[in-house]
Amino acid sequence: MIVTGSNHGRLWRFAAKGTLVMVALLGLAACSEDTPPFAKPPTPVEAAAVEATPVGESLVYSASLIPNERVEMAFKVGGYVKDIATAPGPDGRPRILQKGDKVARDMILAALRDDDYQAALRKASAARDEELASLREAQVNFDRYQTLFNQKVVAKSEYDKAKEKLDYYKASVDRTTQQIEEAGIQLRDTVLKSPLDALVLSRSIEKGTLVASGTLAFVLADLSTVKAVFGVPDFMLRFITPGDAVPVTVEALGNEVFPGTVLAVAPSADPKSRVFDVEVRIVNPDLRLKDGMIASARLSGDTASRLVVPINAVVRDTSDPKGFMVYVIDEAAGKATARKVILGDVVGNRAILSEGPAPGEKVITTGATMVHDGAPVRLIK
């Protein structure tokens, strides 16, 4: 190969450029060795200390007040509403029943127009009268044929026909008697009576309204006693027995405390909330306690201590989809450490742990879903 002068110049320039590139690459490599790798900054989190709470210290449960009895009154038959009972209004003048009015047992609340039912009763009565007349005639005829048959004057077939006719009219009388009873029941069902002393919670009919069978007319409630209903976790069941005294506080009445008595404890837990319903009976003679009021029931249990953490500190176990864990802060190392827990019951916004960190240890509350085991964290509160 012959290298000319021009070619020799070009080769020299190419070699020089390659040398410069190699020097630049070596320089970059040296710089990368001196620069430390990028480190993720600590995750800012909030934490709370694990508490050891004695269960024996009164536990407060939110309760709802419901009537001792609640009755929905509906018509069994259809028709036009003819009358609705009245009660004195605020001005003393009578007006048709409204919400909050008192009604007495066996009081007529409303009545339907009963012309059709009266006619049906008269028709059934007339039909029975006809059947009774036919029955008497058939009885006389049968008695005559029986005498003749005994004297062997008539054939047995004639005797059998007379007996068959007698049986037919007996059945007809029974049928029409039943029709009279049914017509009488329907006629009585045109009148709606209160089954108890109560207050009117709602009224759904007006005079002249055409109602069908089963139409709801009134909702009544007996508020002379009320029930406070609330749910408790399973570990409290052994401390609750029907007949126990339970104080119930009603915030709407200035946090007044009412004495209550445990009426019933549910034998099975709610399938969703996993709590057991408890009913506490409260005497309410002055009717100050209303349906739907919110109250709080105070219960006491054993003296054992249980671990308690804020509910937002509990997260799913990353290694067990069915398990739970919390992140404990190691303040000296500035790291989060995953700790498995056994979750008990939830009371308010706190979770009771059957097993978990020691009392006093701090668990991450805000930010628990943003860290992992060993992650650097920075406590901001």
Side-chain angles (χ1 to χ4, degrees):
M1 178 179 178
I2 300 174
V3 180
T4 64
S6 60
N7 289 335
H8 183 273
R10 284 195 294 271
L11 289 174
W12 185 89
R13 287 193 297 273
F14 178 77
K17 289 181 180 179
T19 303
L20 291 175
V21 170
M22 183 63 68
V23 171
L25 291 175
L26 290 175
L28 288 174
C31 291
S32 62
E33 291 178 359
D34 296 337
T35 304
F38 174 77
K40 183 180 178 181
T43 302
V45 296
E46 296 181 2
V50 178
E51 300 177 14
T53 302
V55 181
E57 293 184 0
S58 298
L59 292 179
V60 178
Y61 295 89
S62 179
S64 296
L65 299 186
I66 62 175
N68 181 52
E69 288 186 77
R70 180 187 176 98
V71 182
E72 294 184 348
M73 304 293 298
F75 286 105
K76 287 183 63 178
V77 296
Y80 287 96
V81 178
K82 180 176 66 174
D83 291 310
I84 298 177
T86 61
D91 57 358
R93 296 180 180 179
R95 55 174 174 76
I96 61 174
L97 290 176
Q98 303 291 333
K99 294 180 180 179
D101 287 341
K102 294 182 180 181
V103 296
R105 183 185 298 271
D106 293 330
M107 175 180 171
I108 296 177
L109 303 177
L112 302 179
R113 195 171 67 192
D114 59 3
D115 299 350
D116 293 341
Y117 298 99
Q118 292 278 10
L121 180 59
R122 289 193 297 269
K123 182 178 179 180
S125 298
R128 187 180 64 169
D129 290 342
E130 292 179 3
E131 298 299 330
L132 284 173
S134 298
L135 176 62
R136 287 192 293 268
E137 182 181 348
Q139 183 68 55
V140 171
N141 190 49
F142 173 75
D143 292 342
R144 183 169 60 85
Y145 270 91
Q146 188 173 38
T147 301
L148 294 174
F149 177 72
N150 291 337
Q151 295 174 355
K152 298 183 180 180
V153 176
V154 295
K156 188 174 184 302
S157 59
E158 297 295 326
Y159 167 79
D160 290 341
K161 287 181 180 178
K163 186 176 185 304
E164 183 179 347
K165 192 172 185 179
L166 176 65
D167 292 341
Y168 171 79
Y169 284 115
K170 283 183 178 179
S172 295
V173 169
D174 291 340
R175 184 181 65 254
T176 52
T177 300
Q178 184 178 1
Q179 290 173 348
I180 290 176
E181 292 176 355
E182 291 176 353
I185 291 173
Q186 289 187 328
L187 179 60
R188 291 193 294 274
D189 286 340
T190 61
V191 175
L192 206 60
K193 292 184 179 181
S194 172
L196 72 167
D197 297 333
L199 294 177
V200 177
L201 294 188
S202 67
R203 174 175 58 82
S204 309
I205 57 172
E206 299 289 346
K207 282 187 178 182
T209 304
L210 176 61
V211 299
S213 173
T215 299
L216 181 66
F218 292 90
V219 178
L220 308 180
D222 174 15
L223 292 175
S224 59
T225 58
V226 297
K227 291 183 288 188
V229 181
F230 56 95
V232 299
D234 54 1
F235 69 83
M236 287 296 296
L237 289 180
R238 60 194 178 101
F239 304 108
I240 306 173
T241 305
D244 289 349
V246 174
V248 177
T249 304
V250 180
E251 184 178 355
L253 299 179
N255 290 322
E256 185 173 348
V257 179
F258 294 82
T261 304
V262 176
L263 190 64
V265 181
S268 60
D270 182 276
K272 293 183 179 179
S273 62
R274 308 305 304 167
V275 297
F276 295 78
D277 283 343
V278 178
E279 293 184 1
V280 174
R281 180 176 181 270
I282 307 169
V283 179
N284 185 34
D286 52 5
L287 305 180
R288 295 173 62 208
L289 300 176
K290 307 297 184 183
D291 178 25
M293 276 186 171
I294 303 300
S296 57
R298 187 175 296 275
L299 300 178
S300 60
D302 58 14
T303 57
S305 295
R306 294 180 182 270
L307 301 174
V308 179
V309 297
I311 188 64
N312 56 346
V314 182
V315 296
R316 281 289 185 183
D317 190 341
T318 54
S319 61
D320 179 10
K322 295 183 179 180
F324 296 91
M325 65 181 186
V326 296
Y327 287 104
V328 178
I329 289 185
D330 183 348
E331 293 190 70
K335 291 184 177 181
T337 303
R339 194 79 60 84
K340 292 180 180 292
V341 298
I342 297 179
L343 186 63
D345 297 284
V346 176
V347 180
N349 61 352
R350 303 196 303 171
I352 298 176
L353 306 181
S354 301
E355 184 178 312
E361 288 191 279
K362 291 185 177 180
V363 294
I364 295 176
T365 54
T366 303
T369 58
M370 302 168 58
V371 299
H372 57 83
D373 188 27
V377 294
R378 176 171 57 87
L379 188 61
I380 59 175
K381 189 175 181 179

